[in-house]
Amino acid sequence: MDFYDRDIVSIKDFTREEIEELLDLSEKMVPYAMGERTWKPLSGKILGNLFFEPSTRTRLSFESAAHRLGADVIDVSEMSMTSISKGETLADTIRMVDAYCDAIVLRHPYEGAARLAAKFSINPVINAGDGAGSHPTQTLLDLFTMRSNKGSIDGLNIVLVGDLKYGRTVHSLSDALTVFGAKLTLVAPEQLQMPDDIVRNLKDKGCPVKQTDDLEAVISDADVLYVTRIQKERFPDPTEYDKVAGMYRIDNSMLREAQKDMIVMHPLPRIDEIAPEVDSTEHAKYFEQAFNGIPVRMALLKAILGGEEQ
Amino acid sequence: MKEIKVAPIRNGTVIDHITAGQSLNVLKILGVNESTIDSTISVLIKVPSKKGAGWKDVVKVEDRELDPRMVDKIALIAPDATIVIIRDFIVAEKYKVKLDDIVSGLVKCSNPHCITNKGEPVEPEFRVIDRSSSKLRCMYCDRILTNISDNLI
């Protein structure tokens, strides 16, 4: 399959076969991502990192991925220093940055920003999160983490827990999991449940979906427990946040009910959803998941930017 | 009871089979207001539809034919509407409104956080995912458009 010069805007733009090919390539990138081997196929290429919102993991891992493959990175570290603060449109900013680099990584607070950027950029655009919209590279690294730990995603019972209403990672992920034939259990308080149109869409695609607010009742059947942070900033009324904050806290006593090989994932940052005592158990895969951002983003950059083959 | 009939028009357009309750929004699309109205407009709200068991609205506009952009907008809020053009009391043209696969520049996204609502130099674009209920998905933010009539451009 040819990914050269292709935009990475939404995971929905990719078939299962294409996703699997990217995951295979990600697997090959692991020793290079760990620094055990060296390969610089993107030497001479320049990646433009445009982050209009704060980010730690995504930004650093894109930088690291680019450097590991020999590419240079240009970025804007302080948006208030740019013409964006003078009212320049995103379209104009993109056209300008496009002329300075070979691919653009964009994080933006507004939904659809990456689609717009892709329209104005000649070079490929990678969506690194657009508001509450898509975060396709996070989805790829989540799928990679599941596949590398469980062998296959088909038929897995995936329990998504936490903020399923606003969390962009779970929206993209649930859609992709449907393509892979997983079963979904959605655990959230009523006010943070997955939006109805997304649930309907999952069911229309033939995905078995169960919704509940009782995590303890479903944890024993889980193959993967995907935990998300309940985001305080999303609540207009702080008292509403207080009602649901701390509702789900994964600790070792809760995990006693879980299958031995059940894995716990989290896109991070966590606040108190997962107790630190879980970190040292076999279940904890969230730091491995964070590392997987490197080989997956290396695979993407190599696929869309080309460069020499091994 | 005396039946009130709407007289046939000599020249103009009849917009028939409008989804019941949408005729006032059709008037909005036609741009009818106190300074633009210069001929008779008849509006029938919730009358029995001969086509099926349901109800419909009808709008008759004298001495006026619609431009294609207006017809496209009517298709968004009344997907079963028919446009009948009358010239000298005779039906000169009759056609059903039709939604294209992509709707561009007619309606804005109902998601306030969509990039197309932030002053960027792009027209909002939607993919039609269900013709019968005019279900549209924003091609930028991927959300389903709600409340089309309030978001018409």
Side-chain angles (χ1 to χ4, degrees):
Chain A
M1 269 160 268
D2 193 5
F3 294 98
Y4 182 71
D5 215 21
R6 199 162 155 186
D7 300 307
I8 312 289
V9 175
S10 164
I11 199 74
K12 289 181 187 170
D13 299 340
F14 294 85
T15 62
R16 174 176 177 154
E17 290 69 32
E18 287 172 331
I19 294 173
E20 297 215 68
E21 189 176 323
L22 285 172
L23 299 185
D24 291 344
L25 184 56
S26 305
E27 211 168 303
K28 290 184 189 144
M29 290 292 180
V30 170
Y32 302 99
M34 294 174 82
E36 291 171 357
R37 293 164 73 180
T38 309
W39 183 33
K40 307 282 182 190
L42 300 185
S43 171
K45 302 276 186 187
I46 298 173
L47 185 68
N49 259 355
L50 272 185
F51 279 70
F52 289 74
E53 269 192 337
S55 160
T56 311
R57 264 158 301 280
T58 308
R59 183 188 183 122
L60 278 180
S61 64
F62 263 113
E63 272 187 42
S64 173
H67 288 310
R68 291 279 192 208
L69 291 170
D72 289 317
V73 180
I74 54 170
D75 67 1
V76 182
S77 54
E78 184 55 70
M79 280 296 161
S80 62
M81 303 291 282
T82 68
S83 13
I84 293 138
S85 61
K86 298 172 194 158
E88 186 181 52
T89 61
L90 176 63
D92 280 2
T93 306
I94 290 295
R95 280 187 278 215
M96 180 267 296
V97 176
D98 185 35
Y100 299 163
C101 61
D102 300 297
I104 295 174
V105 177
L106 176 72
R107 167 163 294 186
H108 199 275
Y110 296 131
E111 291 152 45
R115 188 73 71 193
L116 179 134
K119 197 169 179 153
F120 286 93
S121 173
I122 295 165
N123 289 310
V125 170
I126 302 174
N127 186 2
D130 56 349
S134 293
H135 197 355
T137 62
Q138 178 73 43
T139 303
L140 285 170
L141 75 90
D142 289 342
L143 294 172
F144 183 71
T145 306
M146 287 179 199
R147 196 181 81 162
S148 58
N149 277 282
K150 310 298 280 185
S152 159
I153 297 168
D154 278 283
L156 288 183
N157 183 21
I158 317 264
V159 177
L160 304 177
V161 58
D163 173 9
L164 307 185
K165 185 176 182 181
Y166 300 109
R168 62 182 160 211
T169 55
V170 286
H171 297 169
S172 294
L173 179 61
S174 57
D175 204 80
L177 286 170
T178 303
V179 175
F180 277 85
K183 293 177 273 186
L184 292 180
T185 304
L186 309 176
V187 182
E190 204 187 331
Q191 59 270 50
L192 290 179
Q193 257 298 352
M194 190 78 91
D196 285 344
D197 65 316
I198 296 182
V199 175
R200 222 175 4 253
N201 185 36
L202 297 174
K203 286 179 179 171
D204 286 349
K205 287 181 179 165
C207 176
V209 181
K210 190 158 123 185
Q211 286 176 283
T212 177
D213 63 358
D214 186 356
L215 177 59
E216 288 187 45
V218 297
I219 197 166
S220 60
D221 289 331
D223 295 306
V224 177
L225 182 63
Y226 193 99
V227 188
T228 62
R229 175 171 69 97
I230 295 181
Q231 300 171 80
K232 193 172 188 174
E233 60 274 22
R234 305 283 190 192
F235 286 80
D237 180 356
T239 58
E240 287 298 309
Y241 170 77
D242 292 338
K243 277 185 206 163
V244 291
M247 196 166 160
Y248 303 111
R249 185 177 153 84
I250 318 299
D251 56 20
N252 284 349
S253 75
M254 183 180 265
L255 290 175
R256 274 200 286 273
E257 302 298 318
Q259 297 177 48
K260 207 168 168 285
D261 60 351
M262 188 271 281
I263 62 169
V264 179
M265 294 172 62
H266 192 304
L268 303 176
R270 67 173 155 178
I271 305 297
D272 54 6
E273 310 84 65
I274 302 174
E277 64 183 17
V278 178
D279 299 358
S280 54
T281 70
E282 285 293 306
H283 299 294
K285 298 296 175 196
Y286 28 91
F287 293 116
E288 177 186 317
Q289 183 186 355
F291 162 75
N292 285 340
I294 310 281
V296 166
R297 289 176 176 121
M298 286 172 77
L300 270 178
L301 292 176
K302 174 73 184 76
I304 66 168
L305 285 170
E308 65 177 44
E309 295 304 322
Q310 267 180 315
Chain B
M1 195 177 76
K2 193 178 170 192
E3 198 175 348
I4 302 166
K5 287 198 175 169
V6 178
I9 55 177
R10 185 187 184 101
N11 291 304
T13 307
V14 179
I15 307 155
D16 200 357
H17 300 291
I18 298 169
T19 312
Q22 288 287 10
S23 54
L24 298 181
N25 287 323
V26 169
L27 294 183
K28 216 191 288 175
I29 291 169
L30 300 181
V32 174
N33 61 42
E34 68 279 13
S35 56
T36 60
I37 196 159
D38 47 14
S39 60
T40 303
I41 295 175
S42 314
V43 180
L44 297 170
I45 297 178
K46 207 173 180 189
V47 292
S49 170
K50 281 181 202 158
K51 254 189 183 177
W55 305 89
K56 65 174 182 178
D57 288 3
V58 183
V59 172
K60 288 186 176 191
V61 193
E62 291 189 29
D63 300 321
R64 187 164 167 194
E65 293 182 15
L66 311 185
D67 70 51
R69 196 175 153 85
M70 283 177 181
V71 177
D72 289 346
K73 284 189 188 177
I74 292 170
L76 282 172
I77 59 163
D80 294 323
T82 51
I83 308 291
V84 185
I85 298 170
I86 312 284
R87 293 183 193 131
D88 233 355
F89 294 112
I90 291 170
V91 173
E93 251 183 85
K94 183 174 179 174
Y95 58 91
K96 201 171 177 298
V97 298
K98 191 178 162 289
L99 269 182
D100 288 333
D101 293 340
I102 306 290
V103 172
S104 186
L106 299 177
V107 61
K108 65 182 174 71
C109 186
S110 52
N111 171 12
H113 300 297
C114 178
I115 192 75
T116 58
N117 286 321
K118 302 295 175 187
E120 294 292 335
V122 287
E123 287 197 324
E125 276 186 296
F126 300 85
R127 190 175 296 284
V128 177
I129 50 175
D130 183 355
R131 268 167 210 290
S132 58
S133 61
S134 300
K135 203 171 179 187
L136 310 183
R137 187 184 288 284
C138 176
M139 290 174 70
Y140 286 89
C141 74
D142 217 30
R143 298 284 182 95
I144 301 283
L145 176 62
T146 54
N147 210 349
I148 292 175
S149 55
D150 279 353
N151 289 294
L152 288 168
I153 297 171

